[in-house]
Every structure is written in C-alpha cells, then in structure tokens.
Amino acid sequence: MINVDKVTKKFDDFTALDEMTLNVKSGSAYGLLGSNGAGKSTLLRILAGIYKQDKGSVTIDGNTIYDNVEVKQKVFYVSDDVEQYANMTPEDMRKMYEIFYPTFSNEKFARLMKAIDLPLNKRMSTFSKGMKRQAFLILALCAGTKYLLCDEVFDGLDPIVTEVMKNLFRQEMKERKFTVV
C-alpha cells in the first residue's frame, strides 16, 4: 500500500504539493488527474524516491522509499522524459534493469519485444515517441515490481497500441498483485 500523509514539496518559492494526503491500495489502478503544474509529476517522483518531500511522510508497504534500495526495487517509474536513454538500446536497458530488479523476467522481455516488433539493438534515439514509450512500458512490466508509477503513460501511443498496452496491464494485474499509478 502507498501512503502519502500531509506531504509538502516546494521548489524555491513555488509550492508543488501542499499537505497532500493519498492512500493507494495494493492491486489497484489509480489515476492522477490535474492541470499542468498541479503536482502530478512531483508526486510520482516522490513516490519513486527521486525527490524527498519537505514535510509529511511517504511510505510504501510501511517503509520510506527515499534512500531505501530495498523498497525502490519494488517500484518502477516511467518518466514522461526518456531522453536520457537516447544512446541506449532496449537490450542495453534490459541488462541495466535486470541488475537492479531481481524479479526482472528476461523471458517476458524477449516475448513482448517480439510481439510488438520493437528492435532490440537499435538506439532509442532512432525510435519514434510511441516506440520509446512502448519499450519503457515493456521494461516496466518485465521488472516484476509490485508498483508501477507512470507519468503520461500513454503519451505518444496510437489508439491500437494504447489498447494493447492496457490489456497487458490488465493481464499483469490479474496474474499478480500489481499496483499502477
């Protein structure tokens, strides 16, 4: 379970989150809605342990996530900005993630990459926006984490691929207690 209790996060004089409280039950799909600048991405980065809140508490399964590798191995974060991986291939990324996530499934990765016909050894910089998003979502599902945090999860995907990815999420949620935010 994800528990956010009276969390505040400021950037200089801008308050991105102001005493936010939220509880997300394990095994659920939870959507964050709000206008640009409402704090959705900030919250996801706090939940992923990238940012530390200024006030309040954040726990995942009763443990804090910031500076906690064991808890971070339960969480996969798909950012809305994937440009930092431009020079990597999906295969490079698989190798990186399998080191960090002990539950990573290489078999599932190979099967899903083949099923949606994404090249394993081409640099991400050659991929369209939608292809990049598909690659990251496949990596996220294959990591085998208990929690998946997605920022702009279907951004760049065409309607057919969006439905394919939604079905993969549903299947994953049925097979294991998987939580998607």
Side-chain angles (χ1 to χ4, degrees), residues 16-168:
L17 297 173
D18 189 11
E19 294 197 16
M20 179 178 193
T21 297
L22 170 73
N23 294 303
V24 179
K25 292 182 181 177
S26 294
S28 65
Y30 195 93
L32 300 173
L33 300 175
S35 60
N36 292 341
K40 300 178 302 294
S41 296
T42 299
L43 176 63
L44 290 172
R45 289 181 182 127
I46 289 171
L47 294 176
I50 297 167
Y51 292 164
K52 185 172 172 121
Q53 69 276 11
D54 299 322
K55 293 180 184 175
S57 68
V58 176
T59 59
I60 295 180
D61 295 336
N63 300 295
T64 60
I65 188 163
Y66 192 79
D67 282 343
N68 189 334
V69 173
E70 189 175 301
V71 177
K72 285 184 179 188
Q73 288 177 328
K74 295 180 180 183
V75 177
F76 195 103
Y77 171 63
V78 179
S79 174
D80 62 338
D81 177 20
V82 295
E83 292 308 312
Q84 66 269 32
Y85 300 100
N87 290 322
M88 296 181 82
T89 67
E91 179 63 15
D92 294 335
M93 293 170 64
R94 178 199 62 78
K95 290 176 184 174
M96 177 181 70
Y97 286 128
E98 79 173 338
I99 292 168
F100 189 74
Y101 294 105
T103 53
F104 194 93
S105 172
N106 289 308
E107 296 78 19
K108 185 184 286 188
F109 177 77
R111 180 173 42 82
L112 291 176
M113 289 295 286
K114 185 176 181 179
I116 63 170
D117 199 28
L118 279 179
L120 289 173
N121 294 305
K122 287 196 174 188
R123 293 190 190 278
M124 295 290 282
S125 60
T126 67
F127 284 14
S128 70
K129 184 177 185 179
M131 291 169 70
K132 289 175 190 173
R133 183 60 61 180
Q134 288 175 66
F136 272 95
L137 291 174
I138 286 172
L139 287 159
L141 292 173
C142 294
T145 59
K146 186 174 177 183
Y147 299 95
L148 173 58
L149 309 174
C150 297
D151 200 349
E152 303 291 340
V153 66
F154 300 119
D155 189 33
L157 298 181
D158 65 48
I160 294 170
V161 174
T162 297
E163 282 306 309
V164 168
M165 296 312 296
K166 284 180 182 178
N167 286 333
L168 287 173

